[in-house]
Amino acid sequence: MSAGWFRRRFLPGDPLPAPRPPGPRASPVPYRRPRFLRGSGSSPGPADASRRPDARPVRSPARGRSLPWNAGYAEIINAEKSEFNEDQAACGKLCIRQSEFGAEDDQEWLTLCPQEFLTGHYWALFDGHGGPAAAILAANTLHSCLRRQLEAVVEGLVATQPPMHLSGRCVCPSDPQFVEEKGIRTEDLVIGALESAFQECDEVIGRELEASGQVGGCTALVAVSLQGKLYVANAGDSRAILVRRDEVRVLSSEFTPETERQRIQQLAFVYPELLAGEFTRLEFPRRLKGDDLGQKVLFRDHHMSGCWGRVEKADLKYPLIHGQGRQARLLGTLAVSRGLGDHQLRVLDTNIQLKPFLLSVPQVTVLDVDQLELQEEDVVVMATDGLWDVLSNEQVAWLVRSFLPGNREDPHRFSELAKMLIHSTQRKDGPTGEGQVSYDDISVFVIPLHGQDRGSSGH
């Protein structure tokens, strides 16, 4: 983003956009669960039972309802932290073509398309905060944004002819340099489409929530299979890992105030107006008190890993980033530094906006599935942070390897595995051995990689 746009959008004192003419307020975003859960038969238990973590129902697709690649899914609602499950999920076949899609009223954005067009698959998890509205909008919108962005570059994705050489002659299609550069170019096009789709979806969510008088935001974790590669895009603190017989590979990074400390502090350094004189961008080992004035303490700024300095009065303000690990908060409010929505979010009892510090751009990891020698139990596990709060990557991998070999004949084994992973977070005698129980919403996709039709077709 340009500095001029940033100042016009967020900084006080600059001319503000003309107010929109008053109009009828849109209806609030209706609460819903993923359509592929219809007919699952699960329902919330009685109020007194839902207070016990082991009594909360785990929902998964009804037997006979197939998800892309026979993927498994399961979810559980929080232990009365809020009235609704703030997680949302979406999946389906992704069809990229050069013409407008037909009506999709009766489908979850899933349009069956002719084989002559480029096709892929899509799985997404959205972890809402401040209410479920942003996650619901993201689940309804992001796939359409991504489809439009991919359609804009589809000719580059399906091109089979190499570019002309500077001499005017055509480069041979089997030329190793062309093959390598086309692969890199295709990855860049898809990554760019994902980044643009996230940003477009963020703008849609901002408009819709403002129009309906609702607030909130969500993280977004998306996996897209296209042309033999799996693209994992993450904005937030959900996580995806690849589990194989002898390997655990992390496919996403969590974005929290702590992991993005340097970026956030640098933004506050360049635009100190964003803190409105209420916060200090410097980070200290602990919250400073009046007795610390003049004392020599260790601190960090955006350009350093640590330095000694004497405490001044301005250092006694509340820190821009406070807390450690999953307890870290941005401006004392938010636990994530990337995601969608939160356009109206402000620090309590102030007019200080959090949106300038939040990025909607995801980090994208590319897994070249066609280059892997896949085994039957190789899977990608995608889950919201409620799972990872309790289980480590290695513990999840151990559960996957323990469950799948003995259940090869069960056509619903991947959903059963997703349910088992959630159940492992709900009992004190779980695999952690530390008596930890997750009271958060949890949503899990288990995506098998072996034996899938990962190819694509073009013109």
Side-chain angles (χ1 to χ4, degrees):
M1 76 184 85
S2 69
W5 178 91
F6 188 90
R7 284 189 175 277
R8 290 192 301 272
R9 175 64 178 83
F10 293 113
L11 300 183
D14 286 319
L16 296 176
R20 295 180 181 176
R25 172 162 288 190
S27 300
V29 178
Y31 177 72
R32 53 157 278 189
R33 302 309 311 142
R35 294 185 186 178
F36 56 74
L37 285 180
R38 290 175 179 174
S40 61
S42 296
S43 60
D48 59 337
S50 65
R51 293 191 181 96
R52 302 195 311 271
D54 59 347
R56 289 183 283 150
V58 177
R59 299 186 65 188
S60 63
R63 288 180 173 261
R65 182 179 289 272
S66 179
L67 302 185
W69 288 13
N70 195 33
Y73 176 82
E75 67 174 38
I76 189 171
I77 194 170
N78 61 78
E80 294 190 332
K81 286 174 54 182
S82 63
E83 181 181 359
F84 301 110
N85 187 338
E86 293 182 329
D87 285 1
Q88 286 290 330
C91 64
K93 189 173 184 178
L94 187 63
C95 302
I96 303 123
R97 55 187 189 179
Q98 294 173 302
S99 59
E100 293 293 326
F101 276 63
E104 302 173 4
D105 295 339
D106 298 327
Q107 303 179 60
E108 190 167 27
W109 71 269
L110 172 60
T111 302
L112 298 178
C113 60
Q115 286 300 308
E116 64 262 31
F117 298 110
L118 186 64
T119 62
H121 293 88
Y122 170 99
W123 304 263
L125 295 175
F126 306 96
D127 186 353
H129 50 260
I136 294 170
L137 286 169
N140 293 342
T141 305
L142 182 57
H143 58 272
S144 298
C145 298
L146 177 59
R147 186 190 65 204
R148 282 193 294 271
Q149 296 295 335
L150 288 172
E151 286 174 350
V153 297
V154 66
E155 292 185 1
L157 296 175
V158 300
T160 58
Q161 292 299 317
M164 297 295 292
H165 192 274
L166 288 177
S167 65
R169 60 183 176 82
C170 186
V171 179
C172 176
S174 61
D175 186 293
Q177 182 177 356
F178 168 70
V179 173
E180 179 182 0
E181 290 182 355
K182 184 181 187 302
I184 296 173
R185 183 188 67 199
T186 300
E187 286 186 12
D188 288 342
L189 290 174
V190 177
I191 291 172
L194 279 162
E195 293 173 345
S196 297
F198 271 62
Q199 292 175 293
E200 180 185 348
C201 182
D202 181 57
E203 294 172 0
V204 171
I205 291 173
R207 291 194 300 268
E208 292 294 325
L209 291 183
E210 181 181 13
S212 62
Q214 293 178 280
V215 297
C218 68
T219 66
L221 176 64
V222 173
V224 176
S225 169
L226 199 63
Q227 296 180 308
K229 296 180 180 179
L230 190 71
Y231 297 83
V232 179
N234 187 45
D237 58 357
S238 297
R239 187 186 308 169
I241 64 172
L242 168 67
V243 179
R244 309 185 69 197
R245 181 178 300 174
D246 55 357
E247 177 188 13
V248 179
R249 190 184 308 182
V250 179
L251 300 179
S252 64
S253 300
E254 279 108 278
F255 293 99
T256 68
E258 189 173 51
T259 62
E260 291 208 280
R261 174 191 66 84
Q262 188 174 21
R263 177 185 68 79
I264 294 169
Q265 285 182 320
Q266 185 173 17
L267 187 62
F269 171 75
V270 176
Y271 302 109
E273 308 96 314
L274 294 173
L275 302 182
E278 298 289 335
F279 292 83
T280 173
R281 73 171 187 277
L282 302 181
E283 181 184 18
F284 299 94
R286 58 176 175 81
R287 180 74 190 279
L288 299 180
K289 302 178 181 179
D291 295 343
D292 296 313
L293 280 172
Q295 300 297 317
K296 203 171 185 180
V297 297
L298 187 67
F299 72 95
R300 288 198 298 185
D301 203 350
H302 65 92
H303 61 285
M304 61 178 67
S305 57
C307 184
W308 288 95
R310 295 197 180 276
V311 178
E312 301 176 357
K313 188 174 181 179
D315 299 330
L316 302 183
K317 297 175 183 177
Y318 200 86
L320 171 62
I321 300 171
H322 182 63
Q324 302 292 326
R326 291 195 174 271
Q327 302 304 314
R329 294 293 183 270
L330 172 61
L331 295 171
T333 303
L334 200 57
V336 293
S337 56
R338 297 198 189 193
L340 308 174
D342 289 316
H343 297 74
Q344 296 82 25
L345 184 60
R346 284 168 170 76
V347 178
L348 183 65
D349 295 329
T350 77
N351 200 36
I352 300 174
Q353 296 177 291
L354 276 83
K355 187 61 175 178
F357 296 97
L358 306 178
L359 284 182
S360 59
V361 179
Q363 180 192 64
V364 183
T365 301
V366 184
L367 178 66
D368 195 339
V369 181
D370 281 349
Q371 298 302 312
L372 299 176
E373 296 181 3
L374 293 172
Q375 304 295 320
E376 192 170 349
E377 283 81 35
D378 293 349
V379 296
V380 169
V381 178
M382 298 170 56
T384 53
D385 66 316
L387 183 84
W388 308 109
D389 286 344
V390 175
L391 300 179
S392 67
N393 298 342
E394 290 71 25
Q395 288 166 337
V396 169
W398 181 83
L399 290 168
V400 169
R401 294 166 182 153
S402 301
F403 180 86
L404 288 180
N407 292 273
R408 290 177 178 172
E409 303 304 316
D410 184 358
H412 307 285
R413 61 190 179 279
F414 299 110
S415 280
E416 292 300 318
L417 172 57
K419 290 194 288 187
M420 189 264 285
L421 290 174
I422 291 179
H423 283 304
S424 297
T425 70
Q426 304 301 299
R427 60 178 192 267
K428 293 183 180 295
D429 59 344
T432 63
E434 301 171 359
Q436 296 187 57
V437 175
S438 177
Y439 295 93
D440 199 0
D441 300 322
I442 302 177
S443 300
V444 180
F445 273 122
V446 178
I447 305 171
L449 300 180
H450 182 263
Q452 306 300 337
D453 180 14
R454 294 178 300 277
S456 61
S457 54
H459 295 279

